[in-house]
Amino acid sequence: MKAKYVNPFTDFGFKKIFGEEASKPLLIDFLGNLLPEANIVDLTFKDKDKLGHKEADRKVIYDIYCENSAGEKIIVELQKAKQNYFKDRTVYYATFPIQEQAEKGEWNYQLKYVYCIGILDFKFDDHIKSGQGEVIHTVQLKDQHNQVFYEKLKFVYLEMPHFKKTEQELISRLDKWLFFIRHLEDFETIPEIFKDEVFVQAFEKAEIAKYTEQERLDYEQSLKIYRDLKGVIDSAFDEGKQEGLLEGTQKGKLEEKLEIARKMKSKGLSSSDIADLTGLSENEIDTL
């Protein structure tokens, strides 16, 4: 039986629910509960395509990039599968909303807050040694005494496979949002706990039957890419762990990446997307 609601881990589904102008009340509610310190009353979507100065920088396009009424920047990224250099990627992304705050002429370097949110459809595994099994990981720059050195840059990772609360165990509104994201594709009707206006609107945005024919085609394509990408990367990482490739020689690591890239290419992913996910150059991928 086909699902009634979209998979929110697809690019189409996530942006439909949270990334459109009409979806702004949903995004405000979700982020307001995830980042209460940001005092989010209103949000403005920022132009994601004009960040960076070099051509390579302009390829950095976030899933959602917005700012609150205080001018604080918020990036929301959906991560569908494990990737090489995952932490490097998120730190790199954070540099753009910092750099864009530079002012011409005399400037005192005072910066606004930058929040980077990663919604992960996979487990960190070796990325985080402590706090394993937790859903929310908050990361900031700290000194040798474990004191926050710079409070205006915060990374928040939501490790969704670890969210295992049942409907009866949901306590906070953030719990409800995490439950919504984790199980949306499985719902056939709207559970009683989601009968308030914001969540009803979220379910309406997610209902496939309400889409135009073109939107349904776009979603099906997005769902196919999600399933193919997740299957290829997850299996490749699992095989790599079983065979010891991830801790093996540099040659072994390169061969592993090339094999992953071949599989992605056979699924129709673009060279730029494959390069982003594997760390290989587009030239290396084009020769496969």
Side-chain angles (χ1 to χ4, degrees):
M1 183 177 67
K2 283 194 172 184
K4 181 177 181 179
Y5 300 105
V6 294
N7 183 325
F9 292 102
T10 61
D11 288 334
F12 179 95
F14 185 71
K15 291 172 184 175
K16 190 71 177 175
I17 297 168
F18 292 113
E20 297 181 344
E21 192 67 29
S23 305
K24 195 182 291 186
L26 313 181
L27 184 62
I28 290 172
D29 196 281
F30 171 60
L31 292 179
N33 284 278
L34 181 62
L35 301 170
E37 68 273 27
N39 297 314
I40 300 173
V41 177
D42 193 14
L43 288 173
T44 302
F45 287 112
K46 300 281 288 179
D47 190 340
K48 300 174 289 185
D49 299 341
K50 294 183 179 178
L51 292 174
H53 304 288
K54 297 179 294 187
E55 182 179 352
D57 293 342
R58 295 190 188 104
K59 293 180 180 178
V60 179
I61 300 177
Y62 312 116
D63 290 326
I64 295 174
Y65 179 36
C66 55
E67 69 177 28
N68 63 12
S69 52
E72 297 171 343
K73 320 297 180 182
I74 305 171
I75 296 168
V76 185
E77 272 289 293
L78 186 69
Q79 298 289 347
K80 296 178 281 294
K82 306 167 190 174
Q83 301 173 16
N84 288 300
Y85 309 116
F86 170 70
K87 288 184 287 186
D88 301 66
R89 173 184 172 127
T90 57
V91 172
Y92 177 66
Y93 276 14
T95 64
F96 291 94
I98 294 173
Q99 291 180 61
E100 75 162 1
Q101 296 183 54
E103 298 177 6
K104 292 182 179 180
E106 292 293 327
W107 177 47
N108 63 5
Y109 291 93
Q110 184 177 15
L111 296 170
K112 300 286 188 180
Y113 277 74
V114 173
Y115 300 95
C116 298
I117 314 300
I119 302 176
L120 315 181
D121 192 21
F122 61 91
K123 297 179 181 179
F124 263 118
D125 291 337
D126 60 339
H127 287 284
I128 290 185
K129 302 298 182 184
S130 61
Q132 291 184 348
E134 294 181 354
V135 177
I136 301 176
H137 303 276
T138 302
V139 181
Q140 286 184 281
L141 293 171
K142 295 187 177 183
D143 63 20
Q144 69 270 32
H145 304 296
N146 204 33
Q147 299 299 310
V148 175
F149 171 73
Y150 185 71
E151 64 177 9
K152 294 183 182 179
L153 177 61
K154 180 180 287 189
F155 298 88
V156 181
Y157 301 104
L158 304 178
E159 203 172 355
M160 295 304 296
H162 283 312
F163 186 80
K164 298 179 179 178
K165 286 187 177 182
T166 65
E167 184 177 331
Q168 292 70 33
E169 294 172 324
L170 305 181
I171 299 173
S172 67
R173 192 162 182 86
L174 181 57
D175 280 348
K176 291 182 180 181
W177 273 116
L178 298 180
F179 189 80
F180 172 86
I181 294 170
R182 184 86 165 88
H183 298 288
L184 176 60
E185 192 180 22
D186 301 324
F187 293 135
E188 295 182 10
T189 58
I190 303 178
E192 192 62 36
I193 58 168
F194 292 124
K195 290 300 175 74
D196 69 71
E197 182 179 350
V198 170
F199 279 113
V200 168
Q201 185 180 349
F203 275 95
E204 288 177 353
K205 294 284 291 181
E207 189 172 350
I208 298 170
K210 294 180 185 259
Y211 297 161
T212 65
E213 184 175 352
Q214 185 58 54
E215 285 177 323
R216 286 196 293 272
L217 290 173
D218 291 344
Y219 171 60
E220 289 297 328
Q221 179 64 19
S222 183
L223 183 62
K224 181 180 185 301
I225 291 172
Y226 164 78
R227 288 171 175 169
D228 289 346
L229 176 62
K230 187 169 175 59
V232 168
I233 295 181
D234 286 355
S235 63
F237 269 82
D238 289 341
E239 290 167 8
K241 287 180 179 179
Q242 291 169 6
E243 298 169 12
L245 288 177
L246 294 180
E247 288 77 34
T249 64
Q250 289 298 321
K251 181 179 179 181
K253 291 181 181 180
L254 177 58
E255 290 174 350
E256 177 198 352
K257 289 182 183 180
L258 291 171
E259 182 57 31
I260 293 173
R262 287 190 190 94
K263 291 180 180 178
M264 291 181 181
K265 198 169 184 179
S266 71
K267 297 294 184 180
L269 272 73
S270 68
S271 294
S272 60
D273 286 340
I274 297 172
D276 191 29
L277 291 165
T278 63
L280 295 169
S281 70
E282 290 190 30
N283 288 336
E284 287 175 310
I285 294 163
D286 289 339
T287 60
L288 293 176

mmCIF file of all heavy atoms in Angstrom, residues 260-280:
data_model
loop_
_atom_site.group_PDB
_atom_site.id
_atom_site.type_symbol
_atom_site.label_atom_id
_atom_site.label_comp_id
_atom_site.label_asym_id
_atom_site.label_seq_id
_atom_site.Cartn_x
_atom_site.Cartn_y
_atom_site.Cartn_z
ATOM 1 N N ILE A 260 32.141 3.090 -4.178
ATOM 2 C CA ILE A 260 30.909 3.780 -3.785
ATOM 3 C C ILE A 260 30.468 4.730 -4.900
ATOM 4 O O ILE A 260 29.291 4.792 -5.263
ATOM 5 C CB ILE A 260 31.127 4.568 -2.471
ATOM 6 C CG1 ILE A 260 31.371 3.600 -1.312
ATOM 7 C CG2 ILE A 260 29.927 5.462 -2.170
ATOM 8 C CD1 ILE A 260 31.765 4.283 -0.024
ATOM 9 N N ALA A 261 31.440 5.451 -5.470
ATOM 10 C CA ALA A 261 31.137 6.407 -6.538
ATOM 11 C C ALA A 261 30.565 5.701 -7.762
ATOM 12 O O ALA A 261 29.637 6.209 -8.407
ATOM 13 C CB ALA A 261 32.395 7.183 -6.910
ATOM 14 N N ARG A 262 31.114 4.532 -8.097
ATOM 15 C CA ARG A 262 30.593 3.768 -9.246
ATOM 16 C C ARG A 262 29.119 3.410 -9.026
ATOM 17 O O ARG A 262 28.292 3.515 -9.940
ATOM 18 C CB ARG A 262 31.417 2.496 -9.460
ATOM 19 C CG ARG A 262 32.802 2.725 -10.050
ATOM 20 C CD ARG A 262 33.447 1.412 -10.450
ATOM 21 N NE ARG A 262 34.847 1.601 -10.788
ATOM 22 C CZ ARG A 262 35.858 1.438 -9.946
ATOM 23 N NH1 ARG A 262 35.618 1.051 -8.702
ATOM 24 N NH2 ARG A 262 37.099 1.644 -10.339
ATOM 25 N N LYS A 263 28.809 2.962 -7.821
ATOM 26 C CA LYS A 263 27.431 2.576 -7.516
ATOM 27 C C LYS A 263 26.500 3.783 -7.596
ATOM 28 O O LYS A 263 25.386 3.693 -8.115
ATOM 29 C CB LYS A 263 27.374 1.939 -6.123
ATOM 30 C CG LYS A 263 28.063 0.585 -6.034
ATOM 31 C CD LYS A 263 27.978 0.017 -4.622
ATOM 32 C CE LYS A 263 28.667 -1.333 -4.521
ATOM 33 N NZ LYS A 263 28.628 -1.887 -3.151
ATOM 34 N N MET A 264 26.961 4.922 -7.054
ATOM 35 C CA MET A 264 26.144 6.134 -7.117
ATOM 36 C C MET A 264 25.919 6.566 -8.561
ATOM 37 O O MET A 264 24.812 6.970 -8.938
ATOM 38 C CB MET A 264 26.835 7.264 -6.348
ATOM 39 C CG MET A 264 26.882 7.082 -4.857
ATOM 40 S SD MET A 264 27.703 8.499 -4.087
ATOM 41 C CE MET A 264 27.623 8.000 -2.372
ATOM 42 N N LYS A 265 26.992 6.482 -9.359
ATOM 43 C CA LYS A 265 26.893 6.897 -10.756
ATOM 44 C C LYS A 265 25.904 6.018 -11.512
ATOM 45 O O LYS A 265 25.139 6.493 -12.352
ATOM 46 C CB LYS A 265 28.279 6.835 -11.409
ATOM 47 C CG LYS A 265 28.395 7.638 -12.700
ATOM 48 C CD LYS A 265 29.844 7.751 -13.151
ATOM 49 C CE LYS A 265 29.950 8.628 -14.382
ATOM 50 N NZ LYS A 265 31.349 8.774 -14.843
ATOM 51 N N SER A 266 25.905 4.735 -11.182
ATOM 52 C CA SER A 266 24.986 3.811 -11.856
ATOM 53 C C SER A 266 23.535 4.092 -11.487
ATOM 54 O O SER A 266 22.613 3.720 -12.204
ATOM 55 C CB SER A 266 25.335 2.361 -11.501
ATOM 56 O OG SER A 266 25.010 2.069 -10.152
ATOM 57 N N LYS A 267 23.338 4.784 -10.338
ATOM 58 C CA LYS A 267 21.986 5.147 -9.901
ATOM 59 C C LYS A 267 21.548 6.502 -10.457
ATOM 60 O O LYS A 267 20.453 6.967 -10.174
ATOM 61 C CB LYS A 267 21.924 5.177 -8.372
ATOM 62 C CG LYS A 267 22.180 3.833 -7.705
ATOM 63 C CD LYS A 267 21.096 2.823 -8.001
ATOM 64 C CE LYS A 267 21.322 1.528 -7.241
ATOM 65 N NZ LYS A 267 20.283 0.523 -7.518
ATOM 66 N N GLY A 268 22.440 7.137 -11.227
ATOM 67 C CA GLY A 268 22.064 8.384 -11.871
ATOM 68 C C GLY A 268 22.380 9.645 -11.106
ATOM 69 O O GLY A 268 21.956 10.740 -11.490
ATOM 70 N N LEU A 269 23.149 9.560 -9.989
ATOM 71 C CA LEU A 269 23.510 10.758 -9.252
ATOM 72 C C LEU A 269 24.515 11.573 -10.056
ATOM 73 O O LEU A 269 25.346 11.018 -10.770
ATOM 74 C CB LEU A 269 24.111 10.402 -7.888
ATOM 75 C CG LEU A 269 23.108 10.241 -6.739
ATOM 76 C CD1 LEU A 269 22.340 8.935 -6.905
ATOM 77 C CD2 LEU A 269 23.812 10.260 -5.395
ATOM 78 N N SER A 270 24.472 12.881 -9.920
ATOM 79 C CA SER A 270 25.371 13.759 -10.656
ATOM 80 C C SER A 270 26.783 13.683 -10.083
ATOM 81 O O SER A 270 26.978 13.324 -8.911
ATOM 82 C CB SER A 270 24.879 15.201 -10.593
ATOM 83 O OG SER A 270 25.000 15.708 -9.279
ATOM 84 N N SER A 271 27.763 14.054 -10.897
ATOM 85 C CA SER A 271 29.159 14.038 -10.449
ATOM 86 C C SER A 271 29.369 14.972 -9.268
ATOM 87 O O SER A 271 30.129 14.655 -8.343
ATOM 88 C CB SER A 271 30.084 14.438 -11.604
ATOM 89 O OG SER A 271 30.055 13.479 -12.635
ATOM 90 N N SER A 272 28.700 16.135 -9.281
ATOM 91 C CA SER A 272 28.869 17.086 -8.176
ATOM 92 C C SER A 272 28.322 16.521 -6.869
ATOM 93 O O SER A 272 28.923 16.687 -5.806
ATOM 94 C CB SER A 272 28.198 18.415 -8.503
ATOM 95 O OG SER A 272 26.804 18.241 -8.717
ATOM 96 N N ASP A 273 27.163 15.823 -6.937
ATOM 97 C CA ASP A 273 26.602 15.217 -5.731
ATOM 98 C C ASP A 273 27.499 14.103 -5.213
ATOM 99 O O ASP A 273 27.718 13.969 -4.003
ATOM 100 C CB ASP A 273 25.203 14.661 -6.010
ATOM 101 C CG ASP A 273 24.158 15.751 -6.139
ATOM 102 O OD1 ASP A 273 24.417 16.868 -5.656
ATOM 103 O OD2 ASP A 273 23.098 15.496 -6.730
ATOM 104 N N ILE A 274 28.026 13.288 -6.126
ATOM 105 C CA ILE A 274 28.907 12.185 -5.731
ATOM 106 C C ILE A 274 30.182 12.734 -5.097
ATOM 107 O O ILE A 274 30.667 12.210 -4.083
ATOM 108 C CB ILE A 274 29.239 11.291 -6.942
ATOM 109 C CG1 ILE A 274 27.965 10.645 -7.490
ATOM 110 C CG2 ILE A 274 30.250 10.212 -6.553
ATOM 111 C CD1 ILE A 274 28.158 9.908 -8.805
ATOM 112 N N ALA A 275 30.728 13.793 -5.696
ATOM 113 C CA ALA A 275 31.941 14.406 -5.146
ATOM 114 C C ALA A 275 31.683 14.931 -3.738
ATOM 115 O O ALA A 275 32.512 14.787 -2.838
ATOM 116 C CB ALA A 275 32.411 15.536 -6.065
ATOM 117 N N ASP A 276 30.520 15.531 -3.549
ATOM 118 C CA ASP A 276 30.155 16.083 -2.244
ATOM 119 C C ASP A 276 30.067 14.992 -1.189
ATOM 120 O O ASP A 276 30.456 15.171 -0.038
ATOM 121 C CB ASP A 276 28.822 16.816 -2.372
ATOM 122 C CG ASP A 276 28.498 17.655 -1.144
ATOM 123 O OD1 ASP A 276 29.434 18.109 -0.480
ATOM 124 O OD2 ASP A 276 27.310 17.858 -0.873
ATOM 125 N N LEU A 277 29.563 13.822 -1.579
ATOM 126 C CA LEU A 277 29.334 12.734 -0.634
ATOM 127 C C LEU A 277 30.567 11.875 -0.373
ATOM 128 O O LEU A 277 30.707 11.306 0.697
ATOM 129 C CB LEU A 277 28.192 11.840 -1.147
ATOM 130 C CG LEU A 277 26.810 12.480 -1.140
ATOM 131 C CD1 LEU A 277 25.849 11.681 -1.995
ATOM 132 C CD2 LEU A 277 26.280 12.585 0.281
ATOM 133 N N THR A 278 31.466 11.784 -1.349
ATOM 134 C CA THR A 278 32.616 10.875 -1.210
ATOM 135 C C THR A 278 33.935 11.568 -0.954
ATOM 136 O O THR A 278 34.878 10.946 -0.488
ATOM 137 C CB THR A 278 32.774 10.017 -2.478
ATOM 138 O OG1 THR A 278 33.068 10.881 -3.591
ATOM 139 C CG2 THR A 278 31.514 9.209 -2.759
ATOM 140 N N GLY A 279 34.018 12.865 -1.277
ATOM 141 C CA GLY A 279 35.288 13.555 -1.139
ATOM 142 C C GLY A 279 36.184 13.407 -2.354
ATOM 143 O O GLY A 279 37.288 13.974 -2.399
ATOM 144 N N LEU A 280 35.747 12.668 -3.374
ATOM 145 C CA LEU A 280 36.500 12.547 -4.620
ATOM 146 C C LEU A 280 36.310 13.811 -5.458
ATOM 147 O O LEU A 280 35.353 14.556 -5.264
ATOM 148 C CB LEU A 280 36.015 11.332 -5.418
ATOM 149 C CG LEU A 280 36.242 9.952 -4.787
ATOM 150 C CD1 LEU A 280 35.474 8.895 -5.569
ATOM 151 C CD2 LEU A 280 37.720 9.614 -4.735
#
